Amino acid sequence: MDYTRTLFFTGKGGVGKTSLSCATGLALAEGGNRVLIVSTDPASNLDEVLGTPLGQSPTGIAGAPGLFAMNIDPEAAAHAYRERMVGPYRGILPPAAIASMEEQFSGACTVEIAAFDEFAKLLGDPQATAGFDHVIFDTAPTGHTLRLLTLPSAWTDFIASSTGGASCLGPLAGLEKQKALYAATVAQLADGTATSIVLVARPETAALREAERTRRELAELGIGNLRLAVNGVFSTGESDDPVARAMERRGADAMAAMPAGLAALSRQSIPFLACGTVGLAALRLMLGRAEERADESAFSAGKLPPGLGPLVDGLEAMGHGVVMTMGKGGVGKTTMAAALAVVLAARGHAVTLSTTDPAAHVAMAVEGRIEGLRVERIDPAAEVERYRDEVLAKAGAGLDSAGRAMLEEDLRSPCTEEIAVFRAFARTVEEGGERFVILDTAPTGHTILLLDAAEAYHREVMRTQADMPESVRQLLPRLRDPAFTRILIVTLAEATPVHEAERLCEDLARAGIAPYAWVINQSLLASGTTHPVLARRGRYEEPFIRKVADKPDSRVALVPWQAANPVGREGLSRLLGG
């Protein structure tokens, strides 16, 4: 397969973008090329997959000559960006003025534009990666990726139209200086001779649906040269094991129903592997350059954690309140949230099932109307319009035409979306005082950015003179109150999802929030399969299940891999049978 110099891997969370981007980079490096892999994901696990600690500059990968990798750390990038804007004024302006400038660069939106600033240097400046034959971007889960890819247009439009200094990003010079670089980045993304986009999916309906949505949106951005990679294609062989047969059938059905736009793309299939995809040896298995060896040693799983039933009973005893499913993209947060909502509604409770996920898969999982259950999505576009109207009505009422024009320009900043979504999130949480609110949150990095916006929000509303709703004042106290909010950490029995979940718990602890329970989803060990490949995969899960179950004071539910796709009322209710 011929590869352009720049490659992007994108797709639904958990489909294997990181593994496949690393395997591709390894193949190109072993073919004699110098290759740089870059992660722009706030929750990157590139270090783990490649087995080498990484920083924000290219680091050679041990055991793979010619292969280098780096992480664009959004927090570190934001700190560096803030210091670049504020540093020259230290010692010149009074401390109060410096503190004010730092506040202007403290929002979650600054983290995103700072990360893009680093990303643009690599993509838009040919000299930044001149020493490499190929540059591979291991991008974040789809919703975040699309925001990242649309930022060049959004920010260049904002810079072009802005004439005054009212931006929440602080001095506009920070963006103005980068205008030529951003223009070069846009051009590079749209150049099909230099850049390819690899849409990564699994042989699953939701993942293929997401890949098709991405294909359409990229086409609208003028980005072509797309390829499809289907990861984890399973073949049962001669076995009549019911779990194996169901897995093969579900995959075949999903592939047969693939949207026509996807089916027309050049396609690569990667087989299902019993082992994880951490380390160079596992990456070579993905490439078909090594054979997977069977583990014939004696094995006993011992006592496994219970299924979802006891956990749901404990949540129901609250009577009302907020339940949030959190975890790395692709672990099944949407399915868990939908299952909890459907079961609680079936037991006679009033339930709201909502999502802040830009990809919004909740309504698809529920499939249809269920009595007592209200399904809604926090729609960023609608929330931005509502917020703009409110600010213009209150803060703009006493302004002259020039002042109002300046305020309108300020509200055109992409940063406004973070604030508007944050307000909607707070409104939804407030409903937990009277009913159950199940929140299917966005993948880990985006969730933490959303929660981090709390500290910046007060400063933002003071600047725009919007009223601070009571729901916003109460949000963090409510999230910290275990009698009001219960957080379920959803993971898979694999190295990376468990490590990501542990990092998420550390982030939550810093915000004063403690998880209520862990849910280990899609366990082949708990499914009872006897198929040789799937049983080996089950053995691989066991130490990760133990690691979670052995945590002090932890509640753990283990959910078996489901032979029938868990969608709709019946499918979601079956998850409690584990």
Side-chain angles (χ1 to χ4, degrees), residues 533-550:
V533 174
L534 300 186
R536 280 207 305 279
R537 183 53 175 254
R539 295 185 186 194
Y540 169 80
E541 293 177 354
E542 198 266 347
F544 303 109
I545 295 172
R546 295 279 164 244
K547 186 175 185 180
V548 173
D550 290 345

Side-chain angles (χ1 to χ4, degrees), residues 73-95:
D73 178 344
E75 296 294 342
H79 178 78
Y81 182 84
R82 185 162 52 242
E83 189 56 31
R84 198 162 67 244
M85 295 300 105
V86 178
Y89 300 97
R90 295 188 191 278
I92 299 173
L93 297 179

Side-chain angles (χ1 to χ4, degrees), residues 307-309 335-336 339 521 558-560 562 566 570-578:
L308 275 178
T335 301
M336 285 303 115
N521 195 23
L558 183 65
V559 182
Q562 301 291 307
E570 287 187 13
L572 291 169
S573 297
R574 273 196 301 271
L575 290 174
L576 267 72

Side-chain angles (χ1 to χ4, degrees), residues 378-392 408 410-424 427:
I378 295 175
D379 179 1
E383 296 303 332
V384 166
E385 185 173 359
R386 182 186 305 185
Y387 177 64
R388 281 176 178 162
D389 290 347
E390 180 183 325
V391 172
L392 287 169
E408 287 175 347
D410 193 20
L411 291 172
R412 279 202 296 272
S413 162
C415 298
T416 300
E417 182 178 313
E418 288 288 347
I419 304 303
V421 169
F422 183 75
R423 285 161 52 96
R427 283 199 308 272

Side-chain angles (χ1 to χ4, degrees), residues 325-338:
T325 58
M326 302 180 77
K328 183 178 168 66
V331 298
K333 297 184 301 296
T334 297
T335 301
M336 285 303 115

Side-chain angles (χ1 to χ4, degrees), residues 184-547:
T185 303
V186 175
Q188 181 85 351
L189 284 169
D191 182 357
T193 64
T195 302
S196 298
I197 312 287
V198 181
L199 304 177
V200 185
R202 290 192 180 275
E204 300 165 1
T205 301
L208 290 167
R209 183 190 291 134
E210 184 67 23
E212 168 61 11
R213 187 177 75 87
T214 305
R215 185 197 66 78
R216 288 197 308 269
E217 294 189 6
L218 289 173
E220 289 169 6
L221 290 170
I223 298 172
N225 199 10
L226 305 177
R227 306 175 184 185
L228 176 65
V230 183
N231 190 23
V233 177
F234 177 71
S235 175
T236 188
E238 300 298 319
S239 172
D240 59 359
D241 178 76
V243 172
R245 288 288 183 195
M247 184 179 286
E248 183 181 53
R249 182 174 63 253
R250 191 189 299 178
D253 290 348
M255 295 291 283
M258 184 188 301
L262 273 189
L265 297 179
S266 171
R267 186 190 315 171
Q268 175 187 8
S269 292
I270 299 93
F272 179 92
L273 299 178
C275 67
T277 52
V278 172
L280 299 184
L283 297 177
R284 290 188 178 100
L285 283 174
M286 287 190 82
L287 296 168
R289 297 185 177 185
E291 289 190 11
E292 200 167 10
R293 289 181 294 190
D295 178 8
E296 304 298 342
S297 59
F299 175 78
S300 173
K303 186 178 180 182
L304 297 175
L308 275 178
L311 184 59
V312 175
D313 294 341
L315 294 173
E316 185 184 15
M318 295 168 64
H320 62 83
V322 175
V323 179
M324 298 174 69
T325 58
M326 302 180 77
K328 183 178 168 66
V331 298
K333 297 184 301 296
T334 297
T335 301
M336 285 303 115
L340 294 171
V342 165
V343 170
L344 289 170
R347 294 183 182 183
H349 298 282
V351 182
T352 297
L353 173 60
S354 182
T355 183
T356 56
D357 191 329
H361 300 103
V362 159
M364 295 175 187
V366 173
E367 279 195 342
R369 188 177 178 82
I370 295 171
E371 187 175 349
L373 175 60
R374 185 167 78 229
V375 179
E376 60 184 41
R377 177 184 175 231
I378 295 175
D379 179 1
E383 296 303 332
V384 166
E385 185 173 359
R386 182 186 305 185
Y387 177 64
R388 281 176 178 162
D389 290 347
E390 180 183 325
V391 172
L392 287 169
K394 291 179 179 174
L399 297 176
D400 59 19
S401 58
R404 186 177 177 88
M406 181 176 289
L407 180 60
E408 287 175 347
E409 285 175 1
D410 193 20
L411 291 172
R412 279 202 296 272
S413 162
C415 298
T416 300
E417 182 178 313
E418 288 288 347
I419 304 303
V421 169
F422 183 75
R423 285 161 52 96
F425 183 81
R427 283 199 308 272
T428 305
V429 167
E430 186 178 33
E431 294 180 19
E434 300 176 350
R435 59 196 289 126
F436 279 104
V437 175
I438 316 294
L439 283 166
D440 159 46
T441 58
T444 309
H446 181 76
T447 300
I448 296 302
L449 292 178
L450 192 61
L451 294 177
D452 278 351
E455 296 302 320
Y457 182 82
H458 182 76
R459 293 189 288 270
E460 173 70 9
V461 294
M462 291 303 100
R463 185 180 59 77
T464 58
Q465 302 174 42
D467 292 335
M468 178 179 279
E470 184 62 21
S471 60
V472 173
R473 290 184 196 276
Q474 293 298 321
L475 178 60
L476 277 181
R478 283 171 172 153
L479 292 180
R480 289 173 176 143
D481 181 359
F484 189 90
T485 300
R486 293 193 171 174
I487 291 175
L488 306 184
I489 303 296
V490 185
T491 189
L492 303 177
E494 300 174 18
T496 298
V498 169
H499 294 169
E500 289 291 350
E502 288 174 331
R503 284 185 216 166
L504 172 58
C505 288
E506 292 169 4
D507 287 334
L508 291 173
R510 282 194 287 274
I513 300 170
Y516 174 73
W518 287 62
V519 177
I520 303 172
N521 195 23
Q522 300 173 20
S523 170
L524 283 165
L525 182 60
S527 73
T529 180
T530 58
H531 186 279
V533 174
L534 300 186
R536 280 207 305 279
R537 183 53 175 254
R539 295 185 186 194
Y540 169 80
E541 293 177 354
E542 198 266 347
F544 303 109
I545 295 172
R546 295 279 164 244
K547 186 175 185 180

